[in-house]
Amino acid sequence: MFKGAEQKPRNLQEHPQVAYYGTLQYPHRLNFYDKPPLFDVTVEEFETCALDRLRILAEIESSAARNRSWEETKSVTHTQCLKYLPLSNNSATKMDLNAQRRKDHLGHFVLRLAFSRSEELRRRFVKAESTLFRIRYENDDSMERQQFLDSRDFNWILVDKDEMSEYRKELSSVSENEKFFKVKWTRVPDLVEKRRVFLKGGWAYVPAREQASVVYQDFEVQLMGALEMTNRALPRLDEDNRLLPILDNLCKGFLSGVPSDWVASAPGKEGEITADMVDDIAKQHYPLCMKNLHQNLRKDHHLKHFERLTYGLFLKVLGLSIDEAITFWRKSFTGGPAETKFDKEHKYNIRHSYGLEGRRANYPAKSCQQLLVSDSASYGCPYRYFTPDNLQTALLSAYSSQGLKSSDIPEVMQTVRSKHFHVACTRVFEITHSQYNVKKGEGVGSGESVTHPNQYTAKSMEMEKAVKENLKGEMGMEID
């Protein structure tokens, strides 16, 4: 199934793209994922499809942690799907429908491999996938949704006229003027609990408007069973050292609640930020993790190796040039190493992180996921590693000047206790940027959660810049 990265995946599209769904290899946007993908893929495609899908599932989990309404969750998920995993309807003749649905199909099965490993992962995966399926079901074209339903046997029985007449009184108390289907009552426990069905002889009489509950329940049951089967087959993957690191990384991302690394669409340009500007930027725009590192550096005139590496890469991506970085660190170590000692012990490492020494690699800044799974509280995520008392003190100390109040702390701490650490950071961003008209639930834009320290800082600086430019335009003057 899997080929090396140097090989190209086989082109599976054999039919010209037409609107008629019967000619498509993936006829429906809705999918129960009954059959595994039986085609060749590169390792790169294997990982990319999974990461894009994971972004969506992680945002679904984030929506639950942030107590978004169902309509808000649908809206945010729809936006994420358009960005990372679009699925056009069958009438979109100019779109490569098979390519879209192939990616959806493959990504699901890669994540199924990753998240079948433990009961907790299976439970969370089923819940997120079921939510995604439900959103797609509700948003699907009614005709295409019916075609999907007709393509499967859901083992429901249409209640005939005689039976409708026999139980007319009981059925009318559930719903008027509707068709009814009957299924074993164990298949619709949610409807039984809410008394939305009529029960008789072990059967649940389900009105047509509640038919979706049967579909959702079947999806969950089938997916959980498939995950348990996959778990039993996992030992066979032990010999494939290409895939296991990818699956491990996906698991870490899902457990930490952060899908993947944020990549700056427009990284800070060298020269825009100087060493003398860092203190002000740290005060106004940093997330708590980088504030913590910056404050420790200013207090002790020193950071340990991995602390320096984490903070240095953050500053690099922010736009601090190599010359300004050397200036910044030299000034920061005042009272620390002497000039010659600085050049000997630290200058090389700074140049190395910029790709100017050693392997000359372009090292990225660490993401929230990497900080969440790090082994040290000193450079890891404060929302995970700080004690509750220390975290509350740190938050008020860092953000009181930006509008964070003591009354906001319980809400933030509740998400921390539920281990949705990036949600807590996102909520702090919303509170401290309310002066830019950021409302609860909007995150760093379009409802997205914080997934990277540079994402947090870049968005904060972008908002401030936009306000200054507007004022400049209105008043015809420079705003510092």
Side-chain angles (χ1 to χ4, degrees):
M1 175 179 175
F2 304 110
K3 297 290 186 181
E6 73 282 354
Q7 299 187 33
K8 295 182 179 180
R10 187 170 61 205
N11 183 8
L12 298 182
Q13 187 167 341
E14 299 172 355
H15 303 286
Q17 191 64 62
V18 294
Y20 178 58
Y21 75 95
T23 66
L24 295 172
Q25 292 182 352
Y26 297 91
H28 314 288
R29 283 187 290 181
L30 298 173
N31 195 341
F32 262 49
Y33 308 100
D34 305 288
K35 299 178 182 179
L38 301 176
F39 47 77
D40 296 341
V41 299
T42 65
V43 174
E44 181 181 2
E45 185 182 7
F46 179 90
E47 183 174 20
T48 300
C49 290
L51 284 173
D52 283 345
R53 191 180 193 88
L54 185 56
R55 288 184 175 98
I56 296 168
L57 299 187
E59 198 59 53
I60 287 173
E61 280 209 328
S62 175
S63 292
R66 294 163 74 175
N67 293 317
R68 284 182 174 137
S69 68
W70 176 242
E71 290 303 319
E72 289 173 332
T73 299
K74 284 175 63 176
S75 177
V76 169
T77 304
H78 179 67
T79 300
Q80 292 290 90
C81 285
L82 288 177
K83 188 175 181 180
Y84 297 112
L85 196 60
L87 283 179
S88 304
N89 61 31
N90 291 334
S91 62
T93 56
K94 294 183 179 181
M95 304 300 296
D96 190 344
L97 303 187
N98 277 328
Q100 289 182 348
R101 295 172 191 185
R102 164 196 166 106
K103 179 181 180 180
D104 174 74
H105 195 229
L106 176 61
H108 170 88
F109 274 92
V110 176
L111 295 186
R112 186 185 287 190
L113 281 175
F115 304 141
S116 62
R117 299 177 168 195
S118 71
E119 184 176 350
E120 180 189 3
L121 281 171
R122 291 194 292 270
R123 176 184 56 78
R124 289 174 59 176
F125 181 64
V126 168
K127 185 176 181 180
E129 279 282 346
S130 298
T131 302
L132 177 60
F133 179 86
R134 181 183 171 188
I135 291 170
R136 288 176 169 175
Y137 187 94
E138 291 188 4
N139 289 339
D140 204 9
D141 175 84
S142 58
M143 182 179 294
E144 292 183 22
R145 182 170 58 230
Q146 190 58 51
Q147 290 168 351
F148 167 74
L149 295 176
D150 292 342
S151 71
R152 301 185 59 85
D153 182 7
F154 287 96
N155 289 318
W156 50 43
I157 302 172
L158 179 64
V159 179
D160 58 29
K161 291 182 179 180
D162 293 340
E163 207 168 1
M164 287 283 290
S165 178
E166 181 180 358
Y167 301 119
R168 183 176 66 254
K169 182 179 179 180
E170 292 83 354
L171 296 178
S172 63
S173 67
V174 175
S175 180
E176 292 280 359
N177 302 320
E178 272 196 87
K179 293 192 298 184
F180 277 80
F181 301 85
K182 62 179 182 180
V183 296
K184 292 296 184 182
W185 72 269
T186 52
R187 293 179 60 190
V188 285
D190 58 326
L191 297 182
V192 173
E193 180 183 4
K194 297 173 184 176
R195 299 187 178 185
R196 293 182 179 175
V197 295
F198 165 57
L199 298 177
K200 182 70 175 181
W203 293 94
Y205 289 72
V206 183
R209 61 185 167 84
E210 302 287 358
Q211 189 179 28
S213 290
V214 181
V215 180
Y216 302 153
Q217 179 71 8
D218 278 12
F219 181 87
E220 290 187 19
V221 171
Q222 181 168 313
L223 180 54
M224 182 57 78
L227 285 168
E228 291 170 353
M229 289 181 62
T230 302
N231 180 52
R232 292 194 290 270
L234 274 178
R236 301 177 192 174
L237 284 175
D238 288 346
E239 298 178 1
D240 197 326
N241 56 14
R242 299 170 301 167
L243 303 185
L244 286 179
I246 296 174
L247 299 179
D248 288 339
N249 186 56
L250 292 170
C251 284
K252 289 178 180 178
F254 198 49
L255 285 171
S256 63
V258 182
S260 61
D261 294 358
W262 170 81
V263 178
S265 57
K269 295 179 181 178
E270 289 191 1
E272 287 188 351
I273 296 174
T274 65
D276 292 336
M277 296 166 61
V278 173
D279 282 336
D280 287 338
I281 294 173
K283 182 178 180 181
Q284 296 296 326
H285 305 294
Y286 275 15
L288 189 59
C289 53
M290 295 302 130
K291 276 184 180 285
N292 182 53
L293 287 173
H294 185 79
Q295 289 168 359
N296 288 343
L297 177 62
R298 286 291 177 253
K299 180 179 66 174
D300 302 329
H301 302 289
H302 175 73
L303 289 177
K304 296 179 181 178
H305 173 71
F306 285 109
E307 296 169 349
R308 292 196 306 272
L309 177 63
T310 299
Y311 191 35
L313 291 174
F314 168 83
L315 291 172
K316 169 191 163 185
V317 173
L318 197 62
L320 200 66
S321 69
I322 178 62
D323 292 334
E324 289 295 327
I326 291 173
T327 300
F328 169 78
W329 287 106
R330 194 188 301 278
K331 289 182 177 179
S332 298
F333 287 159
T334 300
E339 182 85 8
T340 55
K341 187 177 181 182
F342 175 87
D343 288 343
K344 181 179 179 181
E345 295 185 1
H346 300 293
K347 191 172 181 179
Y348 176 88
N349 288 333
I350 296 169
R351 289 177 55 80
H352 189 280
S353 67
Y354 276 75
L356 301 176
E357 302 287 355
R359 294 172 53 202
R360 299 184 181 275
N362 183 24
Y363 297 100
K366 292 187 180 296
S367 67
C368 291
Q369 176 184 328
Q370 291 169 311
L371 297 178
L372 280 164
V373 299
S374 65
D375 296 326
S376 173
S378 63
Y379 61 89
C381 175
Y383 295 95
R384 178 183 176 185
Y385 287 108
F386 282 20
T387 65
D389 288 343
N390 287 345
L391 177 58
Q392 293 179 58
T393 300
L395 284 169
L396 290 172
S397 173
Y399 295 111
S400 289
S401 61
Q402 293 175 256
L404 186 74
K405 303 180 180 64
S406 298
S407 58
D408 298 317
I409 295 298
E411 180 185 2
V412 175
M413 295 306 297
Q414 182 178 350
T415 58
V416 171
R417 285 191 293 271
S418 62
K419 299 184 179 180
H420 292 284
F421 307 111
H422 69 299
V423 174
C425 186
T426 303
R427 184 61 188 128
V428 169
F429 180 93
E430 292 169 343
I431 294 169
T432 56
H433 290 77
S434 59
Q435 71 268 32
Y436 303 124
N437 295 320
V438 176
K439 297 179 176 58
K440 183 175 181 179
E442 291 184 358
V444 291
S446 301
E448 289 192 32
S449 301
V450 175
T451 61
H452 200 292
N454 285 93
Q455 173 200 28
Y456 184 113
T457 306
K459 190 64 178 180
S460 178
M461 294 175 67
E462 177 187 317
M463 289 178 176
E464 182 186 60
K465 182 178 180 181
V467 169
K468 288 182 177 180
E469 288 180 350
N470 287 337
L471 288 174
K472 178 182 176 181
E474 292 174 2
M475 303 175 65
M477 58 185 292
E478 293 286 346
I479 306 294
D480 294 327

